[in-house]
Amino acid sequence: MTVAEPIQVGTDGYPGLVTVEDRNVYGSPSQVITVSYSAAGAAWTITGFFAKEADGSVPQASLFWEIVASIGHVQPPEPAPQPQPMPESILSPAYLDPQAAIVLALEEVTGVPYSPTNPGAQLYLERADPIRHLYHLVTSEVGFFNSNTMGFYSWLVEYITWFQSADGYTYLNELREHAYAQIRAAIYDPESDIGRRVRAIEAGSDPDFIAPGPSAYWVYLIEPYCEAALVAGALARDACQAQFQRLVDNYAVEQLRDPYAYSDFGAFLASQAYEPFQ
């Protein structure tokens, strides 16, 4: 058996060792050639068995060395990134019952007991869900979704206070601009925190915030903007909803044509250059 000698294997010259072992099988001389090398993060071995000395006169030996010289390896693909789990949410009692929270906040801000005949109170109560969903957007930086609702009630008091103040328009304008930027981040930056969150809600994989399918974008993004930040009149709100419904219908048609054309409804909205109603 000869001592292992260095060898370069394949088209890329992978470093390796070759050994040649002489054997005698039933009185007939033979050889075993073993080539060992490393490539593509693994160890490899090629062995050739020859009935006689594997010199240049043996066609099988020539073929063996041709195979050794022609070897090539492809690096394995990088593993696909695994989706990060959504951060655990905390749902406060006020968030779970926004109408009751609004009644308490109104009494705290105005000092007047709630009356169901108060038209001002009804303005808030009719928008209870959009108001609480606006909280996620405007209490976090652009690109993030605030899932911790323990601060919802204190924010609600602030919202009503400013809404009823002389400077309420300025405050609402700031909310509107921030919510508008959040909608754009959710749609056009799917890897952002808010982008991942709304897509998890769309996929039905978020345990706390429920609105499967395209409705996720309406419930947690567009409706809060239109109803609680924009505070538009009835005609403008209807136009906002009609615009969104038209996009949902068009998306359904595209899904029938090619179910794999868009990874999610957000991707479809981006392809349509969607901008929230202003």
Side-chain angles (χ1 to χ4, degrees), residues 140-222:
S140 55
E141 295 294 326
V142 173
F144 291 85
F145 182 98
N146 184 7
S147 60
N148 185 336
T149 63
M150 294 304 291
F152 171 67
Y153 181 78
S154 59
W155 171 82
L156 179 62
V157 170
E158 175 186 314
Y159 175 84
I160 293 174
T161 300
W162 276 103
F163 194 93
Q164 302 207 151
S165 72
D167 297 325
Y169 178 81
T170 301
Y171 173 75
L172 287 173
N173 192 52
E174 292 175 356
L175 290 188
R176 179 187 61 79
E177 291 178 355
H178 193 86
Y180 184 93
Q182 286 283 59
I183 293 172
R184 287 190 53 82
I187 292 172
Y188 294 101
D189 187 3
E191 293 305 314
S192 65
D193 177 71
I194 193 170
R196 291 191 299 111
R197 172 71 72 169
V198 75
R199 283 162 178 80
I201 298 171
E202 177 186 5
S205 59
D206 192 296
D208 297 308
F209 306 111
I210 311 300
S215 63
Y217 296 79
W218 175 257
V219 171
Y220 288 95
L221 296 175
I222 300 169

Side-chain angles (χ1 to χ4, degrees), residues 108-130:
E108 181 176 336
V109 171
T110 65
V112 178
Y114 165 72
S115 170
T117 60
N118 183 340
Q122 295 306 311
L123 177 68
Y124 296 105
L125 293 173
E126 290 169 358
R127 293 175 167 83
D129 279 337

Side-chain angles (χ1 to χ4, degrees), residues 20-198:
V20 180
E21 181 182 359
D22 295 319
R23 294 184 180 180
N24 191 302
V25 181
Y26 302 115
S28 299
S30 63
Q31 277 190 341
V32 178
I33 301 177
T34 303
V35 175
S36 303
Y37 68 98
S38 298
W44 307 86
T45 300
I46 306 169
T47 304
F49 298 88
F50 304 94
K52 56 182 178 178
E53 184 177 350
D55 56 22
S57 65
V58 179
Q60 292 84 351
S62 299
L63 179 60
F64 175 80
W65 291 116
E66 287 178 9
I67 293 173
V68 170
S70 67
I71 289 172
H73 290 269
V74 177
Q75 283 294 116
E78 292 292 328
Q82 297 299 312
Q84 297 297 314
M86 289 295 107
E88 185 175 348
S89 304
I90 301 174
L91 303 183
S92 68
Y95 181 87
L96 292 172
D97 191 350
Q99 289 197 335
I102 286 172
V103 169
L104 290 175
L106 277 170
E107 292 179 350
E108 181 176 336
V109 171
T110 65
V112 178
Y114 165 72
S115 170
T117 60
N118 183 340
Q122 295 306 311
L123 177 68
Y124 296 105
L125 293 173
E126 290 169 358
R127 293 175 167 83
D129 279 337
I131 288 173
R132 72 169 173 174
H133 295 148
L134 181 67
Y135 167 84
H136 302 297
L137 307 182
V138 299
T139 58
S140 55
E141 295 294 326
V142 173
F144 291 85
F145 182 98
N146 184 7
S147 60
N148 185 336
T149 63
M150 294 304 291
F152 171 67
Y153 181 78
S154 59
W155 171 82
L156 179 62
V157 170
E158 175 186 314
Y159 175 84
I160 293 174
T161 300
W162 276 103
F163 194 93
Q164 302 207 151
S165 72
D167 297 325
Y169 178 81
T170 301
Y171 173 75
L172 287 173
N173 192 52
E174 292 175 356
L175 290 188
R176 179 187 61 79
E177 291 178 355
H178 193 86
Y180 184 93
Q182 286 283 59
I183 293 172
R184 287 190 53 82
I187 292 172
Y188 294 101
D189 187 3
E191 293 305 314
S192 65
D193 177 71
I194 193 170
R196 291 191 299 111
R197 172 71 72 169
V198 75

